[in-house]
Amino acid sequence: MAYTPGYEYDVFVSYASVDDFNLIDDGDGWITELVELLDRMIRSRLGGGDNLNIYFDRHRLASNHGLSTLLDAVRQSATFFAVASSAYNQREWTQREIAEFCEQPDYTNRLFAIEYLPLLPGERYQSILETRKRLAFWERDSAFNVEQTLVRGSATYRARCTQVAQQIATQLFAMRFGSAAPSPGAPERDPATQLTRPSAALTPAAAATPAVTAPHAQAVRLVVGQTAADMEDDAERLKAFFADLGYDVTYLSEIRQGGADFKADATEAMAGATLFVLPIGTHPGRRPKDLPDGYYAAQLDVARDTATPTMVWRRPDVSGANAPVPKHGALIDDDTVIAATYPGFVNQVRYLLEAAARAISAAGKPTSGYIFINADQLDRAAAEHLQDVFVTIGQDTAVPIYDASPHELREDLIERLCDCDTLLLLYGEVGLRWVRAQLSMLSKMRPHMSARIKAVCIGPPAGKSSNLGFRSPDLQILDLNPDWQHSPILDLVNRSS
């Protein structure tokens, strides 16, 4: 019985047995230890995962573990985890295993791969691994100019294991429960499982956006900042996590270094970016001669100059008092810096990116073409009057329903707000407080709305100020006095068309 419904196994581990030897002592092999650690990490991320069932054949050469048995297990597995290497690339059984999995429907999001060691010079992967992202579990030893497999216990090894566990747990959770919606009042969860509501550090519009799988993720661009050594693992985890979700991610540690070159490349990366995130720790990082204030300050300067939305993050236990440079300590303690756990911060970033992706998706939807006239009961007659005017010129319109339960009223209002092409908010007999409440609701619903035109229409009685104390870049204010004149609305619609 597996954690994932409909499957016998949750994860099939595909590897070359020759790679499963201990790099340090006579204990368990490297892959065996890796699988044991991933098993614990995935279970933790699935809230226990008592039914988690990983198929890991530790006796691959034994006569009772023939190829047909392995291929049956592949077909009965929810996900496939390949430990790639030259040996993996050259073994018939491993090639048959991955080929069998790729015959399954919707295999793309269910296949995960790491690289035990890089291929030999001139060698290419024979399978789909050639074009798949493979998380490197090796690093180059500059002293000896040779690639070495990461050793268990190192910070980089654990960070890479965490990435893999998060990715697999995310997929298994989605396959078990479908889209993971946030639970009201639920405690903070790991981003690999269930999303929760972000903290108050986010804007109200972003905080109110429900979490769903992001459409048009590739149209959203995330820039992850360059950090000092104490935060590199977290920055790399952020990069890998969101790249695996399908977002376009730029990591500033991978651009040219040095003052002028770094600033030029960072400016290019941030131009038009959806979000810039910068993890910071107590170490201030490098301060070359041409960047006397350091890379942290340089990146924040570029973000400000390019008007890129920015989130600076530190862990709750990081304090400016422990920073060796007072200026860096002041940055750590700045009120704009988000103090959160890593999972909590990832949740916040993911909420923002998903909201941006939904906004792009809504902008690309064909418009419904109708005008929604949102009016309180006090201005119902005016709304129906404007409806009559628009009907005579062949324009579809809608007004709120007034005779229904509060739940039905709200459901209908949300549906109209999301679906209309033009939104008119009537400010007549009703008070300003009602108008401001509606505007606040529109701000929160912005990612879901497809309306090209939004306008507050001020009508009788005369004497009301056009200053509503609420501004939005795409909101128009129209004066329809003295008697709910419709010509300003028609002019606005025609100009926008």
Side-chain angles (χ1 to χ4, degrees):
M1 181 66 177
Y3 172 87
T4 312
Y7 294 91
E8 185 70 22
Y9 308 103
D10 295 293
V11 184
F12 182 94
V13 181
S14 179
Y15 71 104
S17 57
V18 70
D19 291 331
D20 190 30
F21 68 95
N22 196 292
L23 301 174
I24 301 177
D25 51 38
D26 295 329
D28 287 334
W30 187 90
I31 296 175
T32 298
E33 290 186 340
L34 172 69
V35 173
E36 290 174 351
L37 180 58
L38 289 177
D39 182 279
R40 294 198 297 272
M41 286 183 163
I42 294 171
R43 287 180 189 275
S44 174
R45 282 155 177 76
L46 294 177
D50 294 337
N51 295 329
L52 185 72
N53 193 5
I54 296 180
Y55 189 95
F56 178 51
D57 181 8
R58 300 180 63 176
H59 310 283
R60 295 172 73 82
L61 300 181
S63 59
N64 63 335
H65 284 74
L67 180 60
S68 60
T69 301
L70 294 173
L71 297 184
D72 284 342
V74 169
R75 288 187 287 268
Q76 298 173 43
S77 296
T79 62
F80 187 94
F81 175 58
V83 183
S85 66
S86 286
Y88 186 96
N89 197 41
Q90 296 170 22
R91 295 297 192 274
E92 177 189 357
W93 282 24
T94 52
Q95 296 306 302
R96 291 283 299 277
E97 288 167 1
I98 194 168
E100 182 67 29
F101 189 78
C102 291
E103 292 294 323
Q104 310 306 309
D106 303 323
Y107 75 88
T108 304
N109 294 333
R110 301 191 288 125
L111 192 156
F112 304 89
I114 68 169
E115 200 166 55
Y116 173 78
L117 278 174
L119 297 184
L120 298 171
E123 186 179 6
R124 295 172 62 89
Y125 283 106
Q126 301 179 46
S127 64
I128 193 174
L129 291 181
E130 178 65 26
T131 58
R132 293 284 295 193
K133 180 177 180 179
R134 306 173 300 277
L135 184 61
F137 267 71
W138 55 270
E139 58 188 359
R140 177 175 290 277
D141 188 322
S142 57
F144 297 96
N145 194 30
V146 65
E147 292 85 9
Q148 294 184 345
T149 302
L150 296 176
V151 178
R152 180 173 184 172
S154 71
T156 304
Y157 175 90
R158 188 167 185 84
R160 300 287 163 82
C161 289
T162 301
Q163 289 178 250
V164 174
Q166 287 175 341
Q167 293 164 11
I168 295 176
T170 299
Q171 182 61 34
L172 295 178
F173 188 91
M175 294 176 72
R176 181 180 173 103
F177 297 107
S179 179
S183 301
E188 179 177 272
R189 296 288 301 276
D190 190 287
T193 56
Q194 187 175 16
L195 294 179
T196 56
R197 180 173 289 279
S199 76
L202 295 182
T203 62
T209 305
V212 297
T213 301
H216 297 272
Q218 280 293 342
V220 175
R221 289 205 301 114
L222 173 68
V223 178
V224 178
Q226 176 171 303
T227 69
D230 58 344
M231 297 300 290
E232 282 181 350
D233 284 345
D234 285 326
E236 290 183 1
R237 289 167 67 194
L238 283 168
K239 170 198 169 187
F241 183 84
F242 288 104
D244 288 336
L245 289 179
Y247 292 103
D248 182 356
V249 182
T250 300
Y251 185 28
L252 296 187
S253 285
E254 298 173 347
I255 66 175
R256 293 180 297 171
Q257 301 298 293
D261 289 342
F262 181 84
K263 280 195 167 184
D265 287 359
T267 299
E268 182 178 353
M270 290 193 204
T274 306
L275 183 66
F276 169 55
V277 296
L278 182 62
I280 61 171
T282 55
H283 198 284
R286 293 182 292 125
R287 292 169 176 256
K289 290 182 179 180
D290 50 356
L291 286 176
D293 290 331
Y295 280 95
Y296 279 123
Q299 293 172 91
L300 292 173
D301 287 344
V302 171
R304 184 189 62 247
D305 293 342
T306 56
T308 303
T310 300
M311 296 175 72
V312 183
W313 164 68
R314 65 171 175 85
R315 293 183 178 275
D317 58 350
V318 173
S319 169
N322 298 325
V325 178
K327 195 170 184 178
H328 185 68
L331 171 61
I332 292 173
D333 293 336
D334 191 273
D335 290 340
T336 61
V337 175
I338 298 170
T341 63
Y342 175 80
F345 179 66
V346 172
N347 283 340
Q348 296 187 24
V349 175
R350 189 169 177 179
Y351 262 84
L352 287 179
L353 297 185
E354 288 176 344
R358 266 197 302 273
I360 293 172
S361 178
K365 291 179 182 178
T367 56
S368 58
Y370 75 86
I371 296 174
F372 176 46
I373 306 170
N374 187 15
D376 181 72
Q377 179 76 41
L378 293 173
D379 292 310
R380 179 175 181 176
E384 293 174 347
H385 162 71
L386 288 175
Q387 258 196 313
D388 292 339
V389 172
F390 288 125
V391 166
T392 62
I393 59 174
Q395 175 65 58
D396 295 336
T397 60
V399 296
I401 55 175
Y402 294 100
D403 303 315
S405 68
H407 175 74
E408 291 173 325
L409 292 173
R410 182 173 178 82
E411 289 296 309
D412 180 75
L413 176 62
I414 291 174
E415 186 174 341
R416 299 287 77 75
L417 292 175
C418 292
D419 195 41
C420 68
D421 179 49
T422 298
L423 170 64
L424 305 179
L425 184 60
L426 301 194
Y427 179 21
E429 297 287 350
V430 72
L432 178 60
R433 186 170 182 177
W434 180 88
V435 176
R436 288 170 58 86
Q438 298 299 307
L439 292 174
S440 178
M441 183 177 184
L442 295 182
S443 177
K444 295 175 182 179
M445 291 187 59
R446 186 187 303 274
H448 308 282
M449 297 178 64
S450 57
R452 296 180 301 111
I453 305 168
K454 306 181 187 75
V456 175
C457 302
I458 302 177
K464 293 188 291 292
S465 172
S466 60
N467 183 5
L468 308 177
F470 196 108
R471 296 184 181 181
S472 179
D474 58 351
L475 182 67
Q476 306 279 338
I477 306 294
L478 301 180
D479 188 350
L480 304 189
N481 280 304
D483 191 23
W484 294 109
Q485 301 297 312
H486 62 271
S487 54
I489 299 176
L490 295 180
D491 290 342
L492 176 62
V493 172
N494 291 334
R495 288 199 308 270
S496 300
S497 300

